[in-house]
Amino acid sequence: MKELRHLNKYFKKYWFKLLIGILITIVARIFQLVMPSFVKKSIEVVENYTRNDITEPLAKDLLLEYILIIIGAALLSGFFTFLMRQTIINVSRYIEFDLKNEIFDHYQLLNLSFYKRNRTGDLMNRISEDVGQVRLYAGPAIMYGMQTLTLFVCLIPLMFIKAPTIAFYSLLPLPILSVLIYQISKIIHKRSTKVQEYLSTLSTFAQESFSGVSVIKAYGLESQLNTEVELLANEGKTKSMDLAKVNAWFFPLMILLIGISNIFVIYIGGKQYINGEIASVGTIAEFILYVNMLTWPVAIVGWLTSIVQRAEASQKRINEFLQEEPEIKNTCIEPTPIKGSIEFKDVSFTYEDTNITALKHISFRIEEGETVAILGKTGSGKSTILDLIARLYDVSSGEVEIDDTPIKELNLDSLRSSIGAVPQDAFLFSDTIKNNIKFGKEDASDQEIISVAKQAVVHENIMGFSKKYHTILGERGITLSGGQKQRVSIARALIKDPEIFLFDDCLSAVDTETEEEILNNLKKAVHKKTTLIVSHRVSSAKNADKILVLEDGKILQQGTHNDLISQNGYYKELYFNQLSTKEN
Ligand code: ADP
Ligand code: MG
């Protein structure tokens, strides 16, 4: 139960509702208990009438009265059962909601490295499947648990007071039922976990095939995939059949054991009646009803045990993630306005998961409002520099300073909201183009959206779509071309109007003429804003105030276009290479 203690804060939060729910549960059960004794009384009335102990009108009156009481108790019990579900099950839904939010908020605090270590499916499972298991504990388990407890506490002593021998024998099969149900629930759980695992394999497989459908068609892999799907489907069939087989045991077993209890009641009760040890046949009817009232709660005890165990296991998985400390911590509570000068002081950075040292003793300074281009081969560390500025990672050694303050001393929200980043893989959400651009500024007006789209030279393209700005993008923006995606991402960064722009190779899929146009627009738009442009084209770099050439995590050359063109080296080579390809 240690792991489940995490939920105590939520139980505290909803203690009043829970208490009411528990009281209602007790009341509902007590009304239910009234019924069997009136069934007994009704039968006794009939008995007395046949023995001519009471007159016909009196018997009719008594019967009518008892029947009305039974109906009334049933209605009240039903009504309170309804209220009970309304309160306790609702509380469990509130707790589910809170817990999901807690997990999601925590996910958002965690670093990129956390997301590299854990698979997306796993993250999703903990927030959906595992929270669902925990909810069963927080609601149904409490509700049925209370219900069972109330019945046991009230009913079992009552049965022993009324007819101890019948009570003893009729209760005998019930513990066996409880243990059996517990065992079956465990097997059911094991097998249904297998089915679930299978389903997630299947959906991963399906998702990958659908998103890679163009590759599959181009390589003619359809029949191969069909075979794989068939294998998977067969596996699923076996696992589901296994599950169905144990499931099938559940109710027959229950009915069998109820039957045994009933036989005991009738046999022992009948014998006692013949021997005159009990006064009326009504007692037998009463006990049959008691036994039937008890079976479900007894079965539930077995079920509850397995629910609690599962909830414990799920909460353990959830806690593992909740206890994960964000490595990047916001140490400054006060907002810190950012102007935009950036300095790297002897910065080295090693990716923990691959142990690749992506940056080695990098030092440079960018003044507020300057534009700096970073050039270099793939893998030279360009994107890493931008990630360090946005503090997606913390340096391994050295210091990154913004406005001459170490980046760790800045308020993280202030820092991130002053940065407009266009990442290399231009990620777009599957939403309208308009909302994708607005992502940079929630309250942006339509004019603003159009204006940034024009600056990013994507307005014409968007107007060409039949739904214009309301076009819904496919997953990861697949309905757009690579260049269009990049330009929508640029628009998204522009609308944010931040102090620092980070463009990570975001014009790579755009032709040189459009690139030229965008760069010109950017020059106006980002005027006086610190701007870093990562590129592998000299054309993107040559107008920058400063150019850094990276190689293998080190700065190879730095200076203006004219400085670098006069030195022999990577930049000059690249410049003349690209110049000649352009002329061809
Ligand atoms: P560039 O943007 O210049 O292509 P990067 O900064 O992306 O280069 O990468 C620099 C080096 O760091 C590469 O060797 C790359 O393999 C490694 N690297 C980049 N990102 C990660 C990551 N998230 N985890 C581990 N290694 C990484
Ligand atoms: Mg890169």
Side-chain angles (χ1 to χ4, degrees):
M1 295 293 281
K2 196 173 106 242
E3 303 287 346
L4 289 170
R5 262 183 234 152
H6 184 80
L7 296 174
N8 287 354
K9 61 177 180 206
Y10 293 126
F11 288 138
K12 258 180 219 152
K13 182 171 170 193
Y14 298 111
W15 72 271
F16 188 70
K17 282 205 173 86
L18 269 177
L19 183 73
I20 298 281
I22 288 171
L23 289 179
I24 293 174
T25 312
I26 296 173
V27 174
R29 282 325 103 197
I30 287 173
F31 275 112
Q32 206 186 4
L33 284 179
V34 171
M35 287 182 275
S37 57
F38 280 91
V39 171
K40 177 194 167 200
K41 283 187 179 175
S42 313
I43 292 177
E44 280 170 359
V45 170
V46 180
E47 266 183 318
N48 290 338
Y49 172 70
T50 45
R51 283 197 215 117
N52 286 326
D53 288 350
I54 51 173
T55 60
E56 190 182 332
L58 180 62
K60 275 189 179 162
D61 280 355
L62 281 173
L63 274 182
L64 186 66
E65 185 187 323
Y66 294 157
I67 286 170
L68 286 178
I69 291 177
I70 291 172
I71 293 177
L75 283 177
L76 281 172
S77 164
F79 176 67
F80 281 111
T81 308
F82 164 77
L83 281 188
M84 165 187 87
R85 297 194 69 92
Q86 281 291 307
T87 42
I88 299 191
I89 302 295
N90 280 8
V91 167
S92 77
R93 292 288 178 194
Y94 288 134
I95 292 181
E96 181 185 26
F97 172 78
D98 287 347
L99 190 59
K100 278 187 178 168
N101 277 321
E102 184 185 348
I103 300 172
F104 194 78
D105 287 348
H106 192 74
Y107 276 177
Q108 290 195 310
L109 290 179
L110 294 173
N111 303 56
L112 296 184
S113 54
F114 169 80
Y115 289 92
K116 298 235 175 68
R117 276 200 309 276
N118 297 291
R119 286 177 309 148
T120 318
D122 208 13
L123 299 178
M124 309 254 287
N125 260 334
R126 291 187 204 205
I127 208 168
S128 56
E129 286 296 321
D130 284 332
V131 172
Q133 291 293 347
V134 170
R135 185 195 75 85
L136 283 184
Y137 161 75
I142 290 181
M143 185 175 79
Y144 290 121
M146 274 319 292
Q147 206 171 334
T148 303
L149 192 71
T150 322
L151 267 186
F152 280 5
V153 169
C154 302
L155 190 53
I156 293 176
L158 190 74
M159 285 166 79
F160 274 99
I161 291 168
K162 291 197 169 181
T165 325
I166 307 182
F168 175 75
Y169 283 103
S170 61
L171 292 177
L172 213 52
L174 297 185
I176 304 172
L177 175 63
S178 203
V179 172
L180 281 179
I181 298 283
Y182 170 63
Q183 295 297 351
I184 290 181
S185 308
K186 263 196 355 199
I187 303 175
I188 289 180
H189 173 59
K190 230 187 255 163
R191 298 196 180 172
S192 66
T193 316
K194 281 204 181 128
V195 172
Q196 252 159 25
E197 278 167 6
Y198 158 76
L199 284 178
S200 79
T201 323
L202 182 69
S203 57
T204 312
F205 182 82
Q207 199 207 1
E208 223 171 49
S209 322
F210 297 149
S211 53
V213 70
S214 48
V215 181
I216 293 169
K217 282 190 187 289
Y219 283 77
L221 295 176
E222 289 97 335
S223 60
Q224 189 186 326
L225 280 180
N226 278 347
T227 328
E228 278 181 49
V229 170
E230 205 175 308
L231 279 178
L232 265 177
N234 266 325
E235 195 189 322
K237 187 179 74 185
T238 324
K239 287 181 174 162
S240 301
M241 291 293 276
D242 282 350
L243 178 62
K245 278 179 201 153
V246 261
N247 261 332
W249 277 101
F250 200 90
F251 279 102
L253 254 181
M254 234 172 92
I255 289 167
L256 177 74
L257 286 155
I258 301 171
I260 295 177
S261 281
N262 283 338
I263 288 173
F264 276 137
V265 174
I266 295 170
Y267 180 69
I268 309 281
K271 248 172 64 176
Q272 287 196 323
Y273 182 69
I274 294 167
N275 296 341
E277 286 162 42
I278 51 171
S280 96
V281 195
T283 312
I284 298 177
E286 189 183 3
F287 267 75
I288 288 182
L289 289 176
Y290 285 150
V291 167
N292 285 292
M293 262 161 83
L294 274 178
T295 28
W296 187 237
V298 168
I300 286 276
V301 173
W303 181 73
L304 283 181
T305 329
S306 82
I307 286 284
V308 173
Q309 284 177 352
R310 266 182 259 171
E312 167 102 4
S314 285
Q315 186 66 46
K316 187 172 170 213
R317 277 196 291 273
I318 294 172
N319 288 351
E320 267 168 25
F321 277 1
L322 287 179
Q323 278 152 11
E324 186 98 21
E325 284 279 323
E327 285 158 36
I328 309 263
K329 289 198 189 76
N330 185 11
T331 43
C332 174
I333 320 256
E334 292 289 305
T336 43
I338 301 235
K339 294 201 211 78
S341 71
I342 300 170
E343 182 155 9
F344 272 53
K345 289 182 172 168
D346 197 30
V347 169
S348 297
F349 179 73
T350 306
Y351 282 103
E352 270 173 24
D353 43 345
T354 53
N355 242 336
I356 291 175
T357 303
L359 297 178
K360 298 163 191 160
H361 304 285
I362 298 273
S363 300
F364 62 87
R365 185 176 170 85
I366 304 173
E367 296 303 335
E368 196 185 317
E370 269 185 342
T371 297
V372 170
I374 304 178
L375 264 73
K377 299 189 183 119
T378 43
S380 56
K382 305 180 298 288
S383 301
T384 309
I385 289 187
L386 301 193
D387 288 349
L388 291 181
I389 294 173
R391 218 183 149 203
L392 295 180
Y393 298 100
D394 276 334
V395 294
S396 308
S397 72
E399 189 96 76
V400 176
E401 289 185 354
I402 289 187
D403 299 341
D404 300 308
T405 317
I407 198 166
K408 285 178 193 165
E409 289 168 25
L410 295 172
N411 179 294
L412 199 58
D413 293 328
S414 304
L415 174 71
R416 300 240 173 106
S417 58
S418 335
I419 291 178
V422 184
Q424 200 165 5
D425 60 344
F427 184 92
L428 297 177
F429 295 93
S430 132
D431 197 341
T432 58
I433 295 184
K434 182 177 164 178
N435 284 341
N436 265 293
I437 297 179
K438 263 175 81 169
F439 194 75
K441 187 181 176 191
E442 270 310 306
D443 55 351
S445 67
D446 285 357
Q447 277 100 329
E448 282 176 280
I449 293 173
I450 291 172
S451 138
V452 291
K454 278 184 179 156
Q455 284 169 10
V457 198
V458 68
H459 175 70
E460 297 296 323
N461 293 89
I462 297 173
M463 294 311 276
F465 300 141
S466 61
K467 291 200 177 138
K468 303 192 165 68
Y469 279 86
H470 295 284
T471 309
I472 304 244
L473 301 183
E475 228 171 288
R476 289 169 177 261
I478 44 170
T479 35
L480 296 183
S481 77
Q484 288 167 343
K485 264 196 285 189
Q486 290 186 331
R487 281 173 280 156
V488 172
S489 324
I490 293 175
R492 174 165 72 189
L494 287 174
I495 207 164
K496 197 172 169 187
D497 194 27
E499 311 312 312
I500 300 171
F501 280 101
L502 306 175
F503 296 116
D504 193 353
D505 213 0
C506 60
L507 294 171
S508 58
V510 175
D511 61 81
T512 26
E513 270 162 49
T514 319
E515 180 189 14
E516 194 77 37
E517 197 182 342
I518 296 173
L519 284 171
N520 278 330
N521 291 342
L522 284 186
K523 218 192 292 174
K524 282 175 240 154
V526 307
H527 178 62
K528 291 197 180 151
K529 298 287 175 72
T530 310
T531 308
L532 278 92
I533 300 179
V534 166
S535 176
H536 56 263
R537 281 197 203 139
V538 173
S539 51
S540 298
K542 64 175 192 281
N543 292 318
D545 297 311
K546 194 195 271 174
I547 298 162
L548 301 177
V549 179
L550 284 190
E551 190 176 87
D552 199 17
K554 282 182 276 211
I555 294 184
L556 203 62
Q557 294 176 292
Q558 66 174 303
T560 61
H561 174 73
N562 289 335
D563 292 343
L564 295 186
I565 213 76
S566 62
Q567 301 170 6
N568 281 332
Y570 180 83
Y571 187 79
K572 193 174 171 184
E573 263 173 49
L574 198 68
Y575 180 64
F576 285 110
N577 261 338
Q578 292 184 354
L579 210 60
S580 59
T581 40
K582 204 175 163 185
E583 277 162 4
N584 292 339

